[in-house]
Amino acid sequence: MAITEKVGTPGGWPPTPDDADGRMWTNRLRTRIVGTFPPEKLLPDRQPAYVASWIYVFGVATIAAFILLVVSGLVLSAEGPAWYHKSTAGHFVNSVHFWSVQLFMLSMVVHIWGKFWMAAWRGNRAMTWITGVVAFFASIGTAFTGYLVQSNFESQWISFEAKDGLNAIGVGAWFNVANVGQMLLLHVCLLPVVVGVIVVWHVLLVRKHGVVPPLPLKADRPREATDGTGVSSRPDEAVQTRGMAS
Amino acid sequence: MSARRKTSDDVAAQPWAGPVRRYDIVKEFVIALVVMSVLATILAAAFSSPDEKALTFQGWGATAADNLYATTVGELAGSTESAGYGPPYNDAGEGIAVGPLKPQKWMGVRIPVDPANDFVITPLKSQEQPAAVATALQAWEAATPEQRQAWAAALDEAIQATADADGALHPDQVAAGDYGPVPDLATGLVAMATSGALDGAMLSRGGFYSSDATQQILFLGDGSYLDDAATAQNLQGNTWGMMNGVNSYPGQPWLWWASLWYQIPTFNPAEDATTTTSLQDNADAWIFYIIGVISLLILFLPFIPGLRSIPRWIPVYRLIWRTYYRRHGNSHLV
């Protein structure tokens, strides 16, 4: 449709499916996005009372470490692959990158184990689990290519050792661990973007479905229940009668 | 109020209608970012990071000339690992396989490597050589493939016969024989390596730019120089090498579930084993398939009966949600 046709005042919100505004692709997409991720779901200020354990911080810790990795990686990329061998500043940035990898993978592994013991795939959350595991595998690939492009003894040895397994399953013919150029481009261009996209997808699924509720205790002895009053005895807890939009 | 008791899956699939608490996720994120930044900076400042200099052919020639000499002869004779590797480097073999699964063979030769020419003859021809080496090059190129093979294999065999109790080779002690130009070619390459010229020749290969180290890695790996350096750093695959870094730095410890399989005798023969099983001969393929199966199990765990119930059988969740259970018990299921 010509965009000059029937230009008028914007329709009301939300547009109804029957009017011209409601049939616009733009409005349909906006309605879908806002419906799936209303602001209070995307950036909630309340969480279910059971979200009260240190295990919950490892998800956000993983994201924080990922941001550190991207920032330190961008500095390393801007200066070029030989910089950190020759410059004290470059070596320090590389060290930050190196330890960020360790912190990132440690946080992610603890996060995954935590979610495993919560059986966090319950309640239509299987895709949340799957995207998390895919993020883990993509992170392994990203870290692995990082080790390969260090252009030092370690990268020589890892590429020599890793080639045999990859060749054995036919992957080595296309993913040549001794081809520094190929590994460098995969490490700085493709794989971080893959990890980033999957992590964003994963976080959106968590926001959409909410944090998985507790498994049942074998001994069902409700204590300090809200007894229908809608008010918990804890000062920082209150029953949200409309429920968490999760 | 319904009398029917809800299952935890019922509750999990519904919007949470129970008690809630204030939770400032933006503040949580900012704190996490600050803590991670401080941690990474402290670790970087305190422990730095590994950067062991890359090995060079010059270093190989200077510190293990006999091994480089023997490896060069092996490349000409076709007896090295690279020379007999098969796909994706050459068609000297089929590669390893698991039963009828032969993806290494199926993918074909996509990264052609001809060790005799790429590692020895072409580098020697890339620069002016002493008269003896130049003459040897002419003789090599004028000879038939059969003649070249006969010369190189004879010298290779003679060198292997000089192995001492530690397995070290002594090319200067080889028995007299008809080795043609091979000794001069190997001597020329060792001299080229020791001078540093071989590193440049292998890197550029007659061109200007290079970003592919496949040939250098394969050549280095054919000798003992790289292997010995890795052993000294505890990086061998059968000693959890994937998880270790150089100089006691952490490597990739998150790969323990892949490295594990290289530690067991089923796939990893003993050092003094005189025979190996098919599983050991094709260990890389078997282990990578096992890694693939484990990956699929983890990925699709929510759909696998038994595995998905482990968290219910081993109640770690009681620890995770202990505060909630103490205050609310199973009230979310009522």
Side-chain angles (χ1 to χ4, degrees), chain B residues 25-98:
Chain B
I25 61 171
V26 173
K27 186 177 176 183
E28 181 191 40
F29 170 74
V30 171
I31 291 173
L33 193 56
V34 170
V35 169
M36 281 296 175
S37 302
V38 170
L39 268 178
T41 304
I42 290 173
L43 288 166
F47 301 111
S48 188
S49 57
D51 190 21
E52 195 75 11
K53 285 187 75 172
L55 301 183
T56 61
F57 291 103
Q58 186 174 28
W60 191 3
T63 61
D66 285 351
N67 181 258
L68 175 55
Y69 184 100
T71 305
T72 301
V73 173
E75 304 292 7
L76 293 172
S79 64
T80 60
E81 182 183 336
S82 297
Y85 198 93
Y89 308 125
N90 50 53
D91 53 11
E94 291 189 353
I96 60 180
V98 171

